Amino acid sequence: MFITTAEFLPQHREQRQQTLQIISSAEARGQKRLVEMNRQVADNLEKIITSLEDDGQSDTGEAAADAS
């Protein structure tokens, strides 16, 4: 089980960017297995980032609704 919070979004985004660079370099060198493994990592990071962003937006919307 992996638990994280929006506090770590910058680190997740940086890791996603680094992973995409690894994928790009591996594709250029024809390293298919490295590409495959890192695409899975990139997909998982994308899910984490999207989920945390969605949670942050709903929290902000709820706070704004509660304030009115």
Side-chain angles (χ1 to χ4, degrees):
M1 178 178 231
F2 178 78
I3 299 175
T4 189
T5 64
E7 173 184 2
F8 296 100
L9 270 169
Q11 290 89 339
H12 295 309
R13 289 180 180 129
E14 178 62 27
Q15 184 178 0
R16 178 183 56 188
Q17 183 59 36
Q18 291 172 355
T19 302
L20 293 174
Q21 289 173 344
I22 290 169
I23 292 168
S24 179
S25 296
E27 284 175 332
R29 292 188 304 265
Q31 296 173 311
K32 294 179 183 180
R33 180 67 180 137
L34 189 59
V35 169
E36 180 183 314
M37 291 185 314
N38 280 283
R39 278 206 177 120
Q40 187 173 16
V41 171
D43 290 346
N44 289 337
L45 284 165
E46 189 63 39
K47 290 175 189 174
I48 290 167
I49 291 166
T50 300
S51 175
L52 290 173
E53 288 173 342
D54 289 349
D55 285 349
Q57 289 175 359
S58 66
D59 289 347
T60 303
E62 291 171 11
D66 291 342
S68 52

